[in-house]
Amino acid sequence: MPEIAPANAALAAPSGSSAAAILLMLLAEDEAAQVLGRLDPDEVQQLGTAMFEVADVSEDEVDEVLDQFVGRARERTTIGFAADGQIRNMMERALGAERAENMLARITPPTRSSSLDSLKWMDAKTIAQLVESEHPQIAAIVLAHLEAGIAADVLQLLDEDVQADVVYRVATLGTVSSEALDDLERLLLRQVNKAGASGSAPKRGGPNEAARIVNSTRTTTEQRVIRQLAKLDKNLARTIEDEMFVFDNLNALTEKDLGALLRSVDNELLIVALKGCDPNLRNKMFGCMSSRAAQSIQDEMAERGPMRLAEVQESQKAVLAIARKLAEAGTISLGGKGEDYV
């Protein structure tokens, strides 16, 4: 007869956010506050939710979490903990206070990343006020460090004359120079009384980042920015448009517009494009066809079997190009956002 496990053996030990929440609730309030103050907003939200969920943990679960913590603490060395203070003390003992200060000024890593992280806690209006009088390059660096939705809100609060220029700079940002980061550090330190942690020359931005920002703006802003951006760099504007408008966005089309698009797309192209797309979009497209045409395409897709992803993506881009041409001609509407949709 197999051995019967204890009744509580099936209960999984707390882990992840749950374990962290239990450990945090064992601390004094001021100590727990110091820990929370070092986390990102998303982490604070996740941990806060977990704290409510573990409010009634058992004594055994608390013991398990403490065992986990002690075990992991033993695996770590002391190197790296409060290293800056340890290095400073060694330098001062070896060189004296003045010479040590001069040496540390040359070798201490720059303090930037925490200042950049502080942007996450600001609202869009504050950030816009922060950068509105600065060079567009500084505004671009700031936007590239924000979530797309917040960056879009900031962009729309900036002067319309500079919006396209800022998006262009986000798309072409790449590696940020030390001088630009120094300017940004100065800008942030005027607003935030917060020391930074080490950081250097991060790579930010790019067409995808710019597309996510523009895609989150109102339609009127989006269209104006893209038109102005095309005057600065036509190819870049097209690249950003490609990043903004993906195949699944066709789901937003009305059945009438989707039907008009399908009538302009060759079946051979459509068969490949529908492979791997969102099932809801595929079903919606089939619903815009006659039952015979829909069945014919489904049979052909089944017969062809798996297709290369690159081939599918190229076909989808071709369908999107047709959709754009029809929209430019006024034949269909690609839709809008919120109150801008008519």
Side-chain angles (χ1 to χ4, degrees), residues 29 89 95 135-136 162 172 174 179 222 225 259 280 296 299 315 320:
E29 288 186 8
N89 290 336
L95 306 175
H135 191 280
V162 303
T172 57
E179 292 78 9
E222 171 189 309
V225 167
N280 292 329
S296 174
D299 292 343
S315 296
L320 291 176

Side-chain angles (χ1 to χ4, degrees), residues 247 250 253 255-267 270 274 281-282 284-290 297 319 322 326 332:
F247 197 70
L250 295 176
L253 269 63
E255 292 186 2
K256 179 181 177 181
D257 285 343
L258 191 56
L261 171 61
L262 294 174
R263 287 192 293 274
S264 301
V265 177
D266 184 77
N267 280 355
L270 190 59
L274 289 179
L281 174 58
R282 187 187 303 131
K284 185 174 181 179
M285 286 186 170
F286 288 150
C288 294
M289 308 176 189
S290 68
I297 290 178
V319 173
I322 295 172
L326 292 175
I332 67 173

